[in-house]
Amino acid sequence: MPKKRGKKRSWGRVFLIALAAIYVVSLVFVPLTTLVAGAFSNGVAAFFRSLFHPDALHAMRITLWMVVWAVFLNSVFGTVTAWVLVRDVFPGKKVLSALIDVPFAVSPVIAGFVLIELFGKGGLLRSITDALGIQVAFAIPGMVLATVFVSLPFVVREVMPVLAEIGVEQEQAAFTLGASPLTAFWRVTLPSIKWGLTYGVTLTAARAIGEFGAVLVVSGGVAGRTETATSFVYRALEDRNDVGAYSMALVLSIASVALLLAMEKLKHRRTGDAYTTQTDVSATSPTMALGAPQKVEP
Amino acid sequence: MRARVQSAIVNGRLNARPRPKLFSGRRPPWGRYGLRATAIIYLGLFIAVPIAVIARRGFAGGARELAHALMHPVAQSALLLTLECAAIMAVINATMGTLIAYVLVRYRFPGRNILNLLIDLPFSIPTLVAGLMIVVLFGPAAPLGRAFSSAGIEVLYAPPAIVLALLFVTLPIVVRAVEPVLAEVDVAEEEAAQTLGASDVYTFRKVILPAIFPAIVTGTLLGFARALGELGSIIVVGGNLPRKSLVASVYIFGEVESGNNERASAMSLVLVAISFFLLLVAAAYEKKMQAKHA
């Protein structure tokens, strides 16, 4: 009897594993390989030729800029915000904390649309930007704003639990020893949140590379001017330039796989130091995609 | 004092009393005010303003105009299709996500790490690229596309492709929500049930499912909310034919492009309202379950 049981269970086990593997492989891996095949369908030369097209190069440069801006702004302001939300006490803090997850709940198209409403023709803030002589909509500043918006929650959500975890004792020790707030942050706080911050930055970068809807709506996607890599793929598809679309898509996929591998590494690094198994769980939480409200307060 | 500070840290945040003196001295903590103001301005500028704009614009013409914009047949069918596709996706996702999480937590097998990595891939791959992959796979030139079209099944530029794209995009959400909770369930409880003669299915239903059910629900709700706003992959695979394969987000995109800001904002308002509602339900449910356990 026990023998029979064991055998039955092991078949169930094989069945479940096979089902999971087939589902994931056919949903994720097979499409990825067909993309590789598509990019090289006209040969390696065609692949590189379409990537070195001036519009393609320009689109990649724009995407890189978006990543740099989003990472810079969100890591500076995201860290400040995380610090304020964890350490500071003031009325309205709960509301502020709830606002952070909003970009996950708002469709990127809507985010782009809002920027057009604000800075487009007859927009609410148009008179201000006109007076300053800045063009926001259909230009780089608007695209940066869109990218910052969609990737805003990552750094805050990754740094907050770490800050809560490390507590204030070390910072206070630094103050007791006469350190200025800036020195204390630089020498005590920053080293402890380093990996959490880096993880948040990686997520921000991945999101910034992949952003499409918000940026396309606000930029109009003018080739050679305001076109990002993802918009390039979209336009190439519309223009029946299949190899161009596949090649750029492959480059984007390679970049995202590289970032994913970096995340995997960081996850272990992050769990390596101050992390307990329980917070380790947050590393693989759905926050990455959606920002399931991570409970800093139990 | 120290004990109190420590208990405050254990609680995960600092309580109002004792107030942390992060900036020593008696002068007003200008540095702290500065940081506080920075955080408020940052979030206010980037988040509160957009929400205000959507709300203001959506109601600008009054409730009647809003209703009028939404009663338009194209808008209506777009919203309906979005909800349908997201619902189908959510059911499949809840089932397969739970299964994958179970396999990942309970079994050790060759290739497990690769499986684990593949699941996270949709997080980092641009959704537009995900859509493109589906186009290549089911396109008229691909063997799979030919097989389906000769069988008379329309996949590409039709709702099935939309569901497929959504499944790809939201794959990790349920898995990653259920996984940590499942890992906490003691294997001993399962074994005890089986020792007492329970079948595998019965054990799963009576021991494991109650423990992971809240996680499945929240994961599914989050995935659903995510699906409502998805644009990149759907715009490529959907074909975007009004009343056939046009979803809400693509509808908004089209209306903005053609300058119909009233219609775009009406639909935006509805989508944002639904997503917010779902996130609130998910958060409230999680809180309730936590209170129940505590």
Side-chain angles (χ1 to χ4, degrees):
Chain A
M1 168 92 173
K3 204 172 176 185
K4 198 179 155 203
R5 260 205 96 86
K7 204 171 174 189
K8 199 179 114 211
R9 285 237 305 274
S10 104
W11 275 116
R13 187 191 121 115
V14 170
F15 174 72
L16 287 182
I17 294 174
L19 203 58
I22 290 169
Y23 182 77
V24 175
V25 166
S26 52
L27 195 63
V28 180
F29 187 69
V30 172
L32 195 62
T33 51
T34 53
L35 181 67
V36 178
F40 291 105
S41 59
N42 285 6
V44 180
F47 170 77
F48 282 109
R49 209 175 321 124
S50 58
L51 280 185
F52 284 105
H53 188 280
D55 283 354
L57 286 176
H58 190 270
M60 283 191 257
R61 210 154 45 225
I62 294 281
T63 290
L64 200 65
W65 266 116
M66 291 302 126
V67 173
V68 169
W69 274 106
V71 164
F72 171 70
L73 290 174
N74 276 336
S75 52
V76 172
F77 292 110
T79 308
V80 169
T81 305
W83 191 91
V84 168
L85 288 178
V86 174
R87 296 274 196 266
D88 208 350
V89 184
F90 58 96
K93 193 175 122 172
K94 275 233 164 87
V95 179
L96 213 57
S97 178
L99 280 181
I100 291 170
D101 287 327
V102 166
F104 287 135
V106 173
S107 170
V109 200
I110 299 176
F113 171 54
V114 166
L115 287 171
I116 292 285
E117 289 277 271
L118 286 172
F119 299 106
K121 218 162 121 193
L124 293 171
L125 302 178
R126 187 58 185 263
S127 50
I128 301 172
T129 52
D130 278 353
L132 293 170
I134 315 166
Q135 200 196 348
V136 180
F138 308 109
I140 303 291
M143 296 161 70
V144 171
L145 288 179
T147 314
V148 169
F149 175 82
V150 296
S151 59
L152 186 140
F154 293 118
V155 169
V156 185
R157 285 291 173 224
E158 291 303 324
V159 172
M160 271 176 79
V162 189
L163 271 178
E165 178 98 11
I166 57 173
V168 289
E169 286 206 319
Q170 291 189 330
E171 281 172 30
Q172 281 177 331
F175 291 135
T176 316
L177 296 170
S180 71
L182 208 61
T183 317
F185 175 79
W186 211 247
R187 303 283 289 271
V188 178
T189 316
L190 194 61
S192 0
I193 61 171
K194 185 172 56 182
W195 294 118
L197 181 61
T198 318
Y199 192 72
V201 162
T202 324
L203 292 172
T204 307
R207 189 74 182 76
I209 289 178
E211 183 42 40
F212 169 69
V215 169
L216 183 60
V217 170
V218 78
S219 74
V222 183
R225 278 188 47 221
T226 56
E227 195 174 57
T228 57
T230 45
S231 313
F232 177 88
V233 174
Y234 181 63
R235 190 175 56 89
L237 270 183
E238 299 274 282
D239 296 348
R240 307 251 161 224
N241 170 16
D242 283 355
V243 173
Y246 300 160
S247 308
M248 184 64 89
L250 186 62
V251 171
L252 287 171
S253 310
I254 292 169
S256 27
V257 170
L259 281 173
L260 183 68
L261 292 174
M263 282 179 221
E264 256 337 276
K265 274 262 171 331
L266 282 170
K267 233 187 265 176
H268 296 303
R269 184 72 70 111
R270 246 182 39 157
T271 50
D273 40 5
Y275 270 80
T276 61
T277 22
Q278 216 193 342
T279 30
D280 166 26
V281 156
S282 73
T284 53
S285 78
T287 325
M288 289 172 67
L290 248 166
Q294 241 176 29
K295 295 286 173 289
V296 175
E297 305 154 36
Chain B
M1 169 70 192
R2 167 177 253 205
R4 279 167 86 184
V5 168
Q6 229 160 21
S7 77
I9 293 166
V10 169
N11 280 336
R13 67 174 182 142
L14 289 162
N15 294 318
R17 260 168 287 139
R19 202 161 197 147
K21 286 210 175 72
L22 296 180
F23 296 92
S24 50
R26 283 218 170 148
R27 66 198 161 79
W30 292 120
R32 175 140 58 122
Y33 290 161
L35 290 178
R36 193 186 293 177
T38 310
I40 292 172
I41 292 170
Y42 171 66
L43 291 181
L45 219 67
F46 275 107
I47 293 172
V49 168
I51 296 176
V53 169
I54 298 171
R56 184 184 160 278
R57 188 66 205 228
F59 288 117
R64 263 186 73 179
E65 206 152 306
L66 183 74
H68 184 73
L70 291 174
M71 290 307 272
H72 193 278
V74 174
Q76 246 181 7
S77 69
L79 189 59
L80 215 64
L81 180 68
T82 308
L83 293 173
E84 275 170 20
C85 288
I88 297 172
M89 176 282 296
V91 172
I92 301 178
N93 222 352
T95 320
M96 290 313 292
T98 310
L99 188 144
I100 295 168
Y102 186 85
V103 166
L104 281 178
V105 171
R106 285 293 143 88
Y107 300 144
R108 294 291 174 272
F109 52 94
R112 182 176 167 277
N113 284 337
I114 297 173
L115 191 70
N116 207 359
L117 205 65
L118 278 180
I119 288 164
D120 277 337
L121 203 62
F123 273 147
S124 61
I125 285 214
T127 61
L128 182 79
V129 174
L132 184 63
M133 290 176 187
I134 291 171
V135 170
V136 182
L137 201 57
F138 288 97
L144 206 58
R146 269 205 303 272
F148 272 103
S149 63
S150 65
I153 305 169
E154 238 184 327
V155 178
L156 208 58
Y157 309 130
I162 298 176
V163 174
L164 206 60
L166 291 178
L167 281 174
F168 180 99
V169 171
T170 57
L171 168 72
I173 299 177
V174 173
V175 180
R176 296 306 183 212
V178 173
E179 213 182 337
V181 185
L182 192 60
E184 298 274 291
V185 178
D186 200 346
V187 187
E189 284 179 39
E190 262 178 79
E191 283 169 355
Q194 270 158 1
T195 316
L196 295 170
S199 71
D200 288 352
V201 177
Y202 193 79
T203 312
F204 182 80
R205 260 185 40 212
K206 290 288 170 182
V207 178
I208 303 171
L209 199 57
I212 61 172
F213 193 70
I216 299 175
V217 171
T218 34
T220 308
L221 284 178
L222 293 177
F224 191 88
R226 170 84 174 73
L228 293 182
E230 175 52 28
L231 175 81
S233 58
I234 296 178
I235 204 171
V236 178
V237 302
N240 315 319
L241 295 170
R243 308 178 81 160
K244 188 179 161 247
S245 61
L246 181 76
V247 298
S249 58
V250 183
Y251 172 85
I252 296 174
F253 179 73
E255 296 300 314
V256 175
E257 294 286 277
S258 45
N260 277 329
N261 285 15
E262 277 75 26
R263 288 193 192 155
S265 50
M267 185 63 92
S268 302
L269 198 62
V270 174
L271 277 193
V272 169
I274 298 175
S275 322
F276 271 34
F277 175 72
L278 288 174
L279 290 190
L280 283 178
V281 168
Y285 184 70
E286 214 172 291
K287 211 168 187 177
K288 193 182 140 204
M289 287 327 253
Q290 268 169 3
K292 207 169 148 190
H293 280 285

